[in-house]
Amino acid sequence: MAEHREHGDSRPGSEHADREQQVLERIEKARRRKPKVKEERITLAHGSGGKATQTLIEAVFLTGFRNPELAKLEDGAELGVAGGRLAFTTDSYVVSPLFFPGGDIGDLAINGTVNDLAVSGATPLFLSAGFIIEEGFPVADLTRIVGSMAAAAEAAGVQVVTGDTKVVQKGKADGCYINTAGVGLLETEHRLGIDTARPGDAVLVSGPIGDHGVTVMLARGELDIDADLVSDTAPVHGLVAELLKAASGVRALRDATRGGVATILNEVAKASDVSVVVDEEKVPVRTEVRGASELLGIDPLYVASEGRIVVVVDGRQADAALEALRAHPLGADAAIIGRVAADPPGLVLLNTTFGGTRIVDLLVGDPLPRIC
């Protein structure tokens, strides 16, 4: 709290402090209410990765499928099997357009699932691929997508070993959707989790954020903007392996997909009952991404990346972690962007470039639909 007051308002008066405390208490009370979906029908916001998504997951899926492993809300489930442990994950891809600078729905699907396994601390091994294809979809485009998937799988050292195909009537889908699932091998006992952050930990990102989300948005041609920007989609398992070798104090890893860095940090703050303080000037954002985000009226902290990771590591190992990230091609522009503090628990605070401090809450609504 002392940090918040120092940056948010220079006045030492107790009246301001009391008002600030009341606001924080109201926010905390709202956060701890039992989740309930108020809408009668699903909206795009329920897939945004933000507040509506979290409410939907907690109120419907966690309640329905109630089990301890799912309740962790990690990117991959850790499963004990005879002789070892496996990580298991799944994801679906509905990006529009299907082809965009730097990638397409095919390599996005492979990289996304590989990355969910990697940030669980697992070595990715085998994937499945399920296709929902709209009647009339060009075979040439499907061949191109599968070719991208094959190349991405080879680059990541994984195999697509099972799959499924469904074709639906024209107008019942938008070209092609892909679902992938994957399993990976957990070779150490070291557990990564968003509930393990401690005061004093450092927060890092592996490179500029938001490239993927803005690239896809520009590829739709809805904005009259020309930018030399490509998606950052890439498999991060090699980067993660080097990081874990260099810093045994890594506590949590996430790939910054839908909902962006802000969503991940909110999940860490809530699950670990800590606060996360981010310095805006230290967050790497390309000029093109920042400019497009300003035009769209969104914060780059909420824009998706597909080849960037967020790292929470013991503060004493922050420099070692940063060095390991920067030594890898995918982490050359990594940065330490903030730290974990004890107070106020459950909140993410941003020290702005203008010298103030504001709360970075979960995303409300979906400003960039169908970007992954």
Side-chain angles (χ1 to χ4, degrees), residues 97 100-101 211-229 288-289 292-293 295-296 368:
F100 47 82
D211 289 9
H212 174 75
V214 171
T215 297
V216 172
M217 192 66 199
L218 296 182
R220 291 180 191 151
E222 297 172 355
L223 297 175
D224 188 19
I225 302 175
D226 290 325
D228 186 17
L229 195 63
E288 299 90 336
V289 172
S293 296
L295 286 174
L296 292 165
L368 298 176

Side-chain angles (χ1 to χ4, degrees), residues 54 92 95 190 281 326-327 333 351 366:
Q54 189 176 76
S92 299
V95 64
H190 181 62
E281 64 181 9
R326 288 182 172 175
D333 296 316
N351 293 329
D366 190 2

Side-chain angles (χ1 to χ4, degrees), residues 10-30:
S10 59
R11 294 176 298 170
S14 60
E15 183 180 345
H16 172 76
D18 291 344
R19 201 162 53 242
E20 181 184 71
Q21 185 60 35
Q22 290 170 3
V23 171
L24 294 175
E25 288 175 354
R26 284 201 298 271
I27 293 173
E28 181 61 18
K29 185 177 179 181

Side-chain angles (χ1 to χ4, degrees), residues 132-155:
I132 298 176
I133 307 169
E134 184 183 19
E135 178 187 21
F137 190 69
V139 173
D141 285 354
L142 182 60
T143 303
R144 179 181 171 186
I145 290 168
V146 172
S148 293
M149 296 180 74
E154 182 176 1

